[in-house]
Amino acid sequence: LCWMMMLGACAIPDNLETGSIYSASAVIGAQGGRLQVERFDSDLYGTDIVIPAGALANDVKITIRVASTHIGVAQMRRVSPTVAFGPDGLTFALPAVIQLPHAGNNPERLQVYRRESDGTTAPVVITDATSDRVAFSVDGFTDFETEELMEDVGNCTEACPIGCPAPEYLLCGSNNGQRYCSECIASC
């Protein structure tokens, strides 16, 4: 049982099946709660949200899933899945804290981006970054993705090889000496 049950703030995931569109879901209400993807076989293993007491007025089914499209920001490389928190557009009276796992090389070069339902993107202020996680506060739900500034974008003007989506992924970079396209990780 959840240690928060004693406080009346425990959210028990109700859908953690592998291959399901949702990686995790739980009903969280005015008492607040936490939802975490705990399955080792999930692409979102370690994704976590803590919703404080008073952030929601009513019970809401909170979902965490892999988004269907990536955010993709120029001169950055994606180091986490794009995570969709739902219901999309939900807003909080008090900020919630999200943690996303990442596979970046340098926490100081990480940036989280949010994508709204109208397609606009914006950076999110990271409150903590470690070698495998980033944490940030949110006032509502949308899609989030962790990206890392590419090491060597300089004057790379060569086109990436066939197979890289165009035109937004024609920018090349390097990671530990290996040159690649920002999204498809192909050799330039």
Side-chain angles (χ1 to χ4, degrees):
L1 291 178
C2 173
W3 67 268
M4 293 172 65
M5 186 169 279
M6 296 169 73
L7 303 173
C10 186
I12 306 297
D14 66 2
N15 185 356
L16 290 175
E17 293 192 14
T18 303
S20 170
I21 188 169
Y22 299 109
S23 293
S25 64
V27 175
I28 297 178
Q31 76 280 4
R34 180 179 194 169
L35 178 59
Q36 184 174 29
V37 179
E38 297 176 330
R39 299 243 347 211
F40 291 111
D41 57 351
S42 172
D43 289 343
L44 298 175
Y45 172 71
T47 300
D48 180 271
I49 181 164
V50 176
I51 300 172
L56 296 170
N58 303 308
D59 288 354
V60 178
K61 184 174 183 176
I62 305 299
T63 58
I64 301 173
R65 66 178 176 85
V66 175
S68 58
T69 59
H70 301 298
I71 293 174
V73 177
Q75 298 183 352
M76 304 291 280
R77 74 177 181 98
R78 185 172 53 91
V79 294
S80 78
T82 306
V83 183
F85 286 85
D88 187 47
L90 177 70
T91 58
F92 302 112
L94 300 169
V97 176
I98 292 176
Q99 286 190 62
L100 296 180
H102 71 80
N105 295 315
N106 184 345
E108 294 177 5
R109 299 177 72 87
L110 298 176
Q111 179 61 61
V112 173
Y113 289 91
R114 66 184 295 142
R115 177 180 50 216
E116 303 299 338
S117 56
D118 67 1
T120 59
T121 62
V124 174
V125 175
I126 295 174
T127 56
D128 188 34
T130 66
S131 62
D132 64 349
R133 292 191 194 290
V134 291
F136 52 97
S137 296
V138 297
D139 58 4
F141 277 166
T142 188
D143 296 350
F144 298 94
E145 180 177 284
T146 307
E147 301 205 9
E148 184 174 44
L149 182 63
M150 291 192 298
E151 303 274 336
D152 175 31
V153 293
N155 294 320
C156 180
T157 56
E158 54 196 288
C160 290
I162 296 172
C164 287
E168 65 268 23
Y169 298 120
L170 294 181
L171 181 64
C172 301
S174 72
N175 183 20
N176 296 329
Q178 169 98 22
R179 295 190 55 78
Y180 63 90
C181 300
S182 62
E183 181 64 20
C184 70
I185 314 298
S187 171
C188 290

